Amino acid sequence: MAKFKVAERFVSINGESVKAGELAVFIRFTGCNLNCSYCDTKWANEADAPYEELTDAEIYDYIKRTGVRNVTLTGGEPLIQKDIDKLLLMLAMDEELQVEVETNGSVDIAEFKALTDRVAFTLDYKLPGSGMESNMCFSNYNYIDKKDAVKFVSGSIKDLETARDIIHEWALDIKSNVYISPVYGKINPEDIVDFMIENEMNGVKLQLQLHKYIWDPEMRGV
Ligand SMILES: C[S@@+](CC[C@H](N)C(=O)[O-])C[C@H]1O[C@@H](n2cnc3c(N)ncnc32)[C@H](O)[C@@H]1O
Ligand SMILES: Nc1nc2[nH]cc(C(=O)O)c2c(=O)[nH]1
Ligand code: SF4
Ligand SMILES: [Mg+2]
């Protein structure tokens, strides 16, 4: 029986990526292998992070009881969780569910892509401002497709310049969906728009984390 440390589980409006604006059930795991400068969920990564221990079956039952079809597995870092493949398979087998994994770009997704084609990956590319860029797994860009997404959380013009170059070098806007998301409160979204115009960044979407405009940006469970 696979067991997981779940920091929080809740139903909300997905504030990010391909399913933004739609209802989603969130399963947030504890623990992360990175330490991004801007992380808005550091509390879930602490050694003493609060959690409930749930089996894969208990997680599945919770999701089904909500009646919500979209599921986002996040964290912390979901793909470093022991037995996450078992949970992915259990959820992927339910044709009513649309499963998304928010992952930090450092974990090789090849083994998970080989498991099922019914899971969408929203891969971060950690830009220089995160301090975690050296951990990126570039081979992932050979596996992503049109149901996946690559997200560039940007806090500076330097970050945007790096995002522009990576998108071009790996043709990410052709292969998949590409989102630029401001580090909350660190960069003016107008500056991102100006940069996108100046650099003719067609095929790239600016996203704003919807939940931080609906609720207090520090609020958990939303
Ligand atoms: C908390 S992370 C958890 C999933 C995974 N560890 C990752 O980094 O993709 C979920 C998403 O929130 C983004 N994020 C974290 N802190 C943020 C902030 N201060 N402003 C904007 N996005 C942020 C991350 O970059 C990631 O795309
Ligand atoms: N409402 C809401 N939408 C989200 N989409 C991705 C999230 C995440 O933390 O991975 C997230 C989150 O924390 N809240
Ligand atoms: S990888 Fe995700 S959870 Fe981990 S520190 Fe970075 S933003 Fe936070
Ligand atoms: Mg979040």
Side-chain angles (χ1 to χ4, degrees):
M1 184 75 81
K3 288 184 177 172
F4 300 91
K5 291 183 177 177
V6 175
E8 58 181 1
R9 49 178 162 141
F10 58 93
V11 173
S12 187
I13 290 291
N14 198 331
E16 308 205 36
S17 195
V18 175
K19 294 278 187 169
E22 292 189 37
L23 290 177
V25 197
F26 290 87
I27 307 294
R28 188 183 307 284
F29 300 104
T30 63
C32 187
N33 59 319
L34 300 188
N35 183 21
C36 305
S37 61
Y38 54 65
C39 182
D40 61 12
T41 318
K42 280 196 196 300
W43 63 270
N45 302 341
E46 303 299 337
D48 62 353
Y51 67 88
E52 51 182 331
E53 190 165 85
L54 296 173
T55 65
D56 45 2
E58 287 169 330
I59 291 172
Y60 177 69
D61 289 344
Y62 163 68
I63 290 167
K64 294 301 284 182
R65 283 199 309 275
T66 68
V68 175
R69 293 197 301 267
N70 293 321
V71 181
T72 292
L73 305 181
T74 186
E77 175 47 45
L79 295 186
I80 62 169
Q81 308 297 323
K82 182 175 176 299
D83 292 332
I84 192 69
D85 55 331
K86 295 184 175 67
L87 178 62
L88 281 178
L89 268 179
M90 182 178 281
L91 299 179
M93 278 167 47
D94 185 328
E95 299 276 330
E96 287 183 356
L97 299 180
Q98 297 294 317
V99 184
E100 171 205 27
V101 176
E102 280 268 1
T103 182
N104 61 25
S106 77
V107 180
D108 186 337
I109 64 170
E111 64 171 286
F112 302 108
K113 277 284 185 182
L115 276 178
T116 172
D117 66 357
R118 293 204 67 253
V119 173
F121 293 88
T122 295
L123 278 169
D124 260 35
Y125 179 91
K126 300 297 182 183
L127 292 163
S130 70
M132 295 291 120
E133 186 175 17
S134 60
N135 297 283
M136 291 301 94
C137 177
F138 289 94
S139 61
N140 282 338
Y141 301 148
N142 301 317
Y143 295 94
I144 56 171
D145 55 40
K146 278 297 182 190
K147 68 177 172 301
D148 301 316
V150 182
K151 189 194 308 174
F152 294 85
V153 176
S154 311
S156 66
I157 296 301
K158 179 169 187 281
D159 277 353
L160 292 169
E161 288 165 342
T162 305
R164 174 198 60 201
D165 298 345
I166 296 291
I167 293 164
H168 179 71
E169 184 182 345
W170 292 89
L172 297 178
D173 54 326
I174 311 299
K175 287 176 185 170
S176 191
N177 300 284
V178 178
Y179 292 86
I180 293 181
S181 184
V183 173
Y184 187 80
K186 181 120 189 310
I187 186 171
N188 187 335
E190 280 179 57
D191 296 341
I192 299 177
V193 175
D194 291 345
F195 185 89
M196 289 173 71
I197 293 169
E198 285 153 25
N199 290 275
E200 299 175 5
M201 295 176 80
N202 295 289
V204 171
K205 291 188 182 78
L206 167 63
Q207 77 159 35
L208 301 176
Q209 293 176 291
L210 292 179
H211 47 297
K212 294 186 178 173
Y213 296 84
I214 298 170
W215 297 280
D216 180 304
E218 296 298 317
M219 193 168 171
R220 295 182 189 177
V222 292

